[in-house]
Amino acid sequence: MSKRVTISPSQWVIIIALLAAAFACYLLVKPYINAIVMAFIISLLISPLHAWIEGKLPAHKNSSALLSCIILTFIIVLPLSLVFVSIVNQGSIFSQNVYKWGTHGGIESVINHPLVLKTVSLVNSYLPFDKINPQDIAQKLGQLAASFGTNLVGISAKVVGDATNFLVNFFLMLFVLFFLLRDHDKIICAMRHIIPLSRSQEDKLLDEIEQVSKSAVMGSFLTALAQGVAGGLGMWAAGFPGLFWGTMLAFASFIPVVGTALIWIPAAIYLYFTGDTGWAIFLVVWSVAVVGSIDNLLRPFLMQGNSGMNTLLMFFSLLGGLQFFGLIGLIYGPIIFAVTMVMFKIYEETFHHFLDDQDNT
């Protein structure tokens, strides 16, 4: 039987001071916490590769960690740089085409389409307030198109700023990753020593964090990549810049409920009103049958590591994580839920005598 731990007043002072110091350290690293967490998760993902490199260079931990970071840089940064340049080029051309279309009668042709006029007339017959005037809508859209060029400059500057911020965070993440790979065993041993749990409980907690981290990355980001590739092919076949809109579809796939429909529905409507009815039907069928099935089939398969979470909990972990933390919340949310469930299991095992007595009374 384990001995009861008695904490003296002086020890309470040490604990409170430690918590205060830990909180102060958290405030210091808070601006960089995402890079630190991503470094931890990537260290789990590339651990097989690093273990192989470390096996080839057993006496050179620094060289092994550095080589792993260099390989990761070539795998991620170089392809992303080429894709980014292509996206900017295609996006610029597409934006110019949209500007020309909007300022040379394209908006008026859509507004005066018979289906649009019938829809507006039907809506006006049920509206209890002022009627919708298609010409007012055309005028507003024309003003928006006229200011599109100015807005595009601001958007381009923001994209460049975001790309620079990404590179800074990426190299910060690499710096942290180097030490995580080099000192992995020491860090795990230190964590095990400090956490006041039994070895079996620590194994459950660490294994669940590792499993959920891997499956969250695989489930969210690989699904987004697959949907972006499939959706980009469909958009390219329909006459849109494939790489640009494939990237937009990949980002849209992170949005719960709506997802990629936020992109392909307006694209199909545009094709229909510009006379490409066949391609509009093709895009709808392709997006529903192929792009949509990827989300329904691939994501559950890749996230099957979250065996403790049912579909409802997984949905709210992703939705809440995205709402509270942003895009990185797609990883944080499942981890928080998974750790909470493991802690409930540990609680149940620790207090099972008391809980059984409560059930029997």
Side-chain angles (χ1 to χ4, degrees):
M1 182 178 293
S2 60
K3 297 181 180 179
R4 181 181 297 273
V5 177
T6 302
I7 302 177
S8 65
S10 61
Q11 290 173 327
W12 274 115
V13 171
I14 294 174
I15 293 174
I16 293 172
L18 175 62
L19 293 175
F23 181 70
C25 290
Y26 166 75
L27 294 178
L28 291 175
V29 302
K30 184 179 178 181
Y32 319 106
I33 195 70
N34 288 340
I36 296 172
V37 172
M38 285 305 301
F40 169 74
I41 293 172
I42 290 177
S43 70
L44 297 177
L45 293 175
I46 68 169
S47 58
L49 171 65
H50 178 67
W52 180 82
I53 294 174
E54 205 171 29
K56 299 295 182 181
L57 302 169
H60 302 85
K61 288 187 174 294
N62 285 325
S63 300
S64 300
L66 180 61
L67 187 56
S68 297
C69 291
I70 291 173
I71 293 174
L72 182 68
T73 302
F74 276 97
I75 291 174
I76 294 180
V77 173
L78 291 182
L80 280 183
S81 299
L82 296 175
V83 170
F84 177 76
V85 172
S86 299
I87 290 171
V88 171
N89 184 44
Q90 289 190 9
S92 176
I93 294 173
F94 178 77
S95 300
Q96 293 172 9
N97 292 336
V98 169
Y99 175 74
K100 292 178 181 177
W101 174 82
T103 55
H104 289 77
I107 296 175
E108 287 78 4
S109 65
V110 172
I111 293 296
N112 294 321
H113 193 280
L115 181 60
V116 174
L117 294 176
K118 288 181 181 179
T119 303
V120 171
S121 177
L122 180 63
V123 171
N124 282 335
S125 65
Y126 289 98
L127 286 179
F129 43 82
D130 293 340
K131 307 301 181 183
I132 297 175
N133 187 352
Q135 299 306 319
D136 292 340
I137 298 176
Q139 184 179 1
K140 294 291 185 183
L141 291 175
Q143 293 173 355
L144 181 63
S147 62
F148 187 74
T150 305
N151 295 333
L152 185 61
V153 175
I155 294 172
S156 301
K158 187 178 185 303
V159 169
V160 173
D162 290 344
T164 304
N165 188 48
F166 167 79
L167 287 176
V168 171
N169 286 326
F170 179 79
F171 285 109
L172 176 62
M173 183 272 296
L174 277 182
F175 181 72
V176 177
L177 179 64
F178 171 82
F179 291 99
L180 288 177
L181 293 175
R182 191 192 68 176
D183 303 325
H184 175 267
D185 294 336
K186 294 180 180 178
I187 294 172
I188 294 299
C189 288
M191 290 175 61
R192 287 184 179 277
H193 178 69
I194 292 172
I195 297 175
L197 298 174
S198 67
R199 180 52 62 92
S200 62
Q201 291 172 338
E202 291 170 354
D203 288 339
K204 288 180 182 178
L205 191 59
L206 294 174
D207 288 345
E208 188 69 13
I209 291 174
E210 180 178 358
Q211 190 178 43
V212 172
S213 299
K214 290 180 178 179
S215 60
V217 173
M218 300 286 282
S220 297
F221 290 94
L222 289 187
T223 301
L225 179 63
Q227 286 190 297
V229 171
L233 288 173
M235 297 290 278
W236 171 77
F240 294 97
L243 185 59
F244 176 78
W245 286 111
T247 305
M248 296 301 104
L249 284 162
F251 281 112
S253 70
F254 289 115
I255 302 174
V257 182
V258 181
T260 56
L262 191 65
I263 302 295
W264 63 259
I265 288 179
I269 293 173
Y270 167 80
L271 289 172
Y272 174 78
F273 283 121
T274 54
D276 293 326
T277 307
W279 283 114
I281 296 173
F282 162 78
L283 188 60
V284 171
V285 173
W286 177 270
S287 300
V288 173
V290 179
V291 180
S293 64
I294 289 175
D295 186 63
N296 296 328
L297 299 176
L298 187 60
R299 190 189 301 272
F301 173 75
L302 292 174
M303 298 191 77
Q304 63 184 348
N306 299 307
S307 55
M309 279 192 281
N310 59 34
T311 304
L312 182 63
L313 288 179
M314 180 57 59
F315 172 77
F316 279 108
S317 70
L318 295 173
L319 189 66
L322 191 64
Q323 174 70 26
F324 196 75
F325 298 105
L327 190 60
I328 195 70
L330 294 170
I331 298 174
Y332 288 176
I335 291 177
I336 292 172
F337 267 67
V339 170
T340 303
M341 294 186 67
V342 172
M343 294 308 300
F344 267 113
K345 291 178 183 177
I346 292 174
Y347 162 82
E348 185 180 11
E349 292 173 357
T350 304
F351 297 97
H352 71 277
H353 294 298
F354 169 77
L355 296 174
D356 291 341
D357 291 340
Q358 289 294 103
D359 290 338
N360 295 326
T361 56

